[in-house]
Structures are given as structure tokens and as C-alpha cells.
Amino acid sequence: MNMHKIAYSVFIAFVASLLTLVSVSALSSSERDAADDEGLDPITLGELAEHDAAESCWKAIHGRVYDITDYVSNHPTDPAVILEWCGREATEGWDNKRPGVPHSARAEGMLEAYLVGRLVDEAGEPVEPEAAARSDEARNGEAADEPALLSPAEDERLHRALLGLPLDGRYRGVFGDGGEMQVNVQFDLRDGRLSNVSYRHLAYRGVDYRTLDDDEDLYPVWVQHQQLAEALEDQPLTAIFALYEPERLAEDLDGYSGATLRGNKVHSAFRDALNRGVYSWP
Ligand code: HEM
């Protein structure tokens, strides 16, 4: 055999082993035959929902149920990222650890050790992930007949994709327009939740809202902005998208102040703060 033939055979062997690897991983959970699961304990969505916390965290992924309680503290992210999916159909989170990016084959292999059963409906039939996610929502009181398209203010997956996983710490950010700084916010992030939300500055056309007396016309606007800050307290970071609909967070004191409430400016100042990164460590 000359050198060319040897090199060619080595190349073919390499390609063949690659193809084997690819087809083995393609045969993973998503391609599994339902008959493989018949010996597993049937677990209903109701039973799954009882294990929705760090003390006992079960997840349904591609039709199987896993008790990952012991794994939570080993997961390479902030625990909140994976605790959010306890007690639920979690295929969507599993297949999108980052939007569009599934877990690795190594992670897939780890799941096996936590397997406790297969997901079934009340009649004992296997449940498709999409159907399970829908009835999960219905169980949580979300209307099953909600429009298929969420508004940008409500799409949690979009929010997570936009915000990423910012570090814990104190943040400061501003919104300015027409040469004037109008909003300067400060807040703390702890485990992805907001606290100590305050305004270091809030002004429009030269009026400093923070110094208004309670008998002044614009005073209600200041009160409403404080209500926005209070409404965000102890909420997950994605709650800042609710600022696009400030009337849901603050009481409409009167028509005038309602029209002057500028949740989108406050939102913009939050996003500026996140872009700048941590201002000081907790
Ligand atoms: C369903 C909820 C889950 C979500 C939302 C989630 C999310 C994430 C994220 C954001 C990362 C890090 C980012 C990255 O690698 O690019 C990650 C990595 C990882 N996760 Fe999860 N995870 C979940 C469940 C699990 C479970 C149940 C296990 C194992 C039993 C697991 C095992 C791993 C491993 C080993 C990595 C390292 C990267 C990889 O191998 O893909 N995750 N996950």
C-alpha cells in the first residue's frame, strides 16, 4: 500500500467514526421510542408540580421526569436559572440553555442518573412537551386561549435573551434627551432580583421632580415614579419590561399625571445601567 492509500483509509475511518458519533447523539432523548419508557413509573403533571422547589426539584424533559434536587448546587449557573423550571415541563429550558442552544451530549448523559419516571396525562398516556407546557400554564392560572403572539413586554424568553445573566452588584444608569439628563436610577441585583430601586435624579424641562412640594401640579408624577420603583422591588430583573406599561404598576392619580408618567425613560435608564455593568460590589 502506498502512502496515498494509507492516508485515504485513515481519512475514511475518521469520517466513519464521526458519522457514528453523530448518529448516536441523534438517537438521544428526542428520538427515543416511547416503548422504551413503558417500564418507568408514570408521573402526572400534578405530581410533578408538587416538586417545584430547591428542597425537591423534579423536571420533565422530553417525556421523562428527573429528580435533580441533588444536582442543583453543581449546575454551572446561578441556581435561580434552573430552579425556575422545577415542578414543570422543562424541555424548553433544556433545549435552550441559551436561546437556540441545547445542552451538550455530556449534560444529556448526566440526566440518566436522576431519572425517576415518565410523564403521563390523567389517562396514563404519554404527554408531548408542548401540550404539557400548555397545561402547565393553564394550571398556573394563565389563560389557555391567550393569543399565540406575546407582546414584547410579556415575552419572558425574549427578555432573558436580551438581558443575559448580569452579575450581582449595585448598578447606576441614566436616560438623557435634548441635552438634559432626565432619569438617573440606582438599583441592586441579588440572585437576579431587584432591590433598593431609587432615583438619583428625575427631571423634565428643568423641573426637578424630587424637590416638588405635595401641593404642586407635577407632584403626582413624582409619586407615580416612586410607585414604579416600589413595584420593581424584589422582582426578577425581567420585570423592568413592565415599565413599558407603567399604568399597570402605578395608580392613575389623575389624567394629567398619567399622561406624564414615563416608564419607557425609566426602562431606558435601567438598560443603560446594565450596559455599563456593575457600579460597585455589594
Ligand atoms: C431545564 C432547566 C435548565 C436550564 C434553563 C439550564 C441552563 C443552563 C445554562 C444557562 C448553562 C450555562 C451556559 C452555557 O453552557 O452556555 C448550562 C450549562 C450546563 N447545564 Fe444546564 N440548565 C438546565 C438544566 C440542567 C440539568 C437538569 C442538568 C443536568 C442534570 C444540566 C447540566 C448542565 C451542564 C453539564 C452544563 C455545562 C454545559 C453543557 O454541558 O451543556 N442543566 N445550563
Side-chain angles (χ1 to χ4, degrees):
M1 220 189 267
N2 66 28
M3 282 306 282
H4 273 111
K5 278 194 177 153
I6 294 174
Y8 183 70
S9 316
V10 169
F11 174 72
I12 292 296
F14 176 69
V15 169
S17 54
L18 266 188
L19 285 176
T20 313
L21 269 180
V22 168
S23 50
V24 165
S25 58
L27 277 174
S28 60
S29 63
S30 41
E31 302 288 316
R32 218 174 37 227
D33 191 332
D36 296 349
D37 283 2
E38 267 165 21
L40 297 174
D41 279 351
I43 294 169
T44 63
L45 277 169
E47 287 164 325
L48 175 67
E50 285 166 23
H51 303 270
D52 64 349
E55 302 78 62
S56 180
C57 172
W58 290 15
K59 291 181 181 175
I61 298 173
H62 291 299
R64 287 182 164 183
V65 179
Y66 301 91
D67 175 357
I68 59 141
T69 315
D70 292 340
Y71 179 70
V72 173
S73 57
N74 299 327
H75 191 260
T77 60
D78 188 297
V81 172
I82 100 167
L83 285 175
E84 186 193 340
W85 295 90
C86 300
R88 291 168 55 191
E89 162 49 55
T91 305
E92 187 191 314
W94 175 259
D95 286 347
N96 296 276
K97 60 178 181 180
R98 277 172 280 130
V101 183
H103 278 76
S104 64
R106 183 177 76 90
E108 180 99 33
M110 290 165 59
L111 274 182
E112 212 59 27
Y114 305 103
L115 183 62
V116 288
R118 62 190 166 98
L119 189 64
V120 295
D121 60 19
E122 301 305 327
E125 293 302 317
V127 192
E128 288 300 314
E130 294 75 18
R134 270 199 306 281
S135 57
D136 235 12
E137 281 167 15
R139 188 184 310 275
N140 292 332
E142 292 160 35
D145 56 348
E146 254 180 322
L149 279 179
L150 291 170
S151 83
E154 286 169 334
D155 187 339
E156 265 185 55
R157 278 185 62 197
L158 174 67
H159 299 170
R160 274 207 302 271
L162 287 171
L163 300 176
L165 295 168
L167 297 172
D168 281 358
R170 171 156 293 181
Y171 286 79
R172 285 182 179 178
V174 299
F175 172 83
D177 196 21
E180 180 192 31
M181 191 223 278
Q182 298 183 3
V183 184
N184 183 344
V185 288
Q186 173 171 300
F187 58 91
D188 293 340
L189 261 190
R190 298 259 184 291
D191 297 331
R193 286 192 176 261
L194 294 160
S195 59
N196 301 321
V197 180
S198 64
Y199 300 95
R200 294 174 49 75
H201 188 72
L202 190 70
Y204 185 56
R205 296 199 173 159
V207 179
D208 181 346
Y209 288 79
R210 294 173 315 146
T211 59
L212 293 171
D213 285 329
D214 57 8
D215 57 353
E216 291 188 75
D217 282 354
L218 285 169
Y219 184 75
V221 182
W222 168 229
V223 173
Q224 284 186 313
H225 278 86
Q226 287 174 288
Q227 286 175 358
L228 295 186
E230 277 161 31
L232 293 175
E233 206 61 31
D234 205 31
Q235 294 297 315
L237 179 57
T238 49
I240 62 171
F241 286 88
L243 290 167
Y244 283 124
E245 294 165 295
E247 61 285 357
R248 283 163 67 164
L249 302 178
E251 286 161 33
D252 197 4
L253 298 183
D254 59 43
Y256 176 62
S257 62
T260 328
L261 186 60
R262 290 288 181 256
N264 47 355
K265 294 184 179 181
V266 179
H267 174 91
S268 183
F270 268 89
R271 296 292 291 274
D272 177 62
L274 294 167
N275 286 341
R276 287 165 188 243
V278 170
Y279 171 77
S280 62
W281 302 109

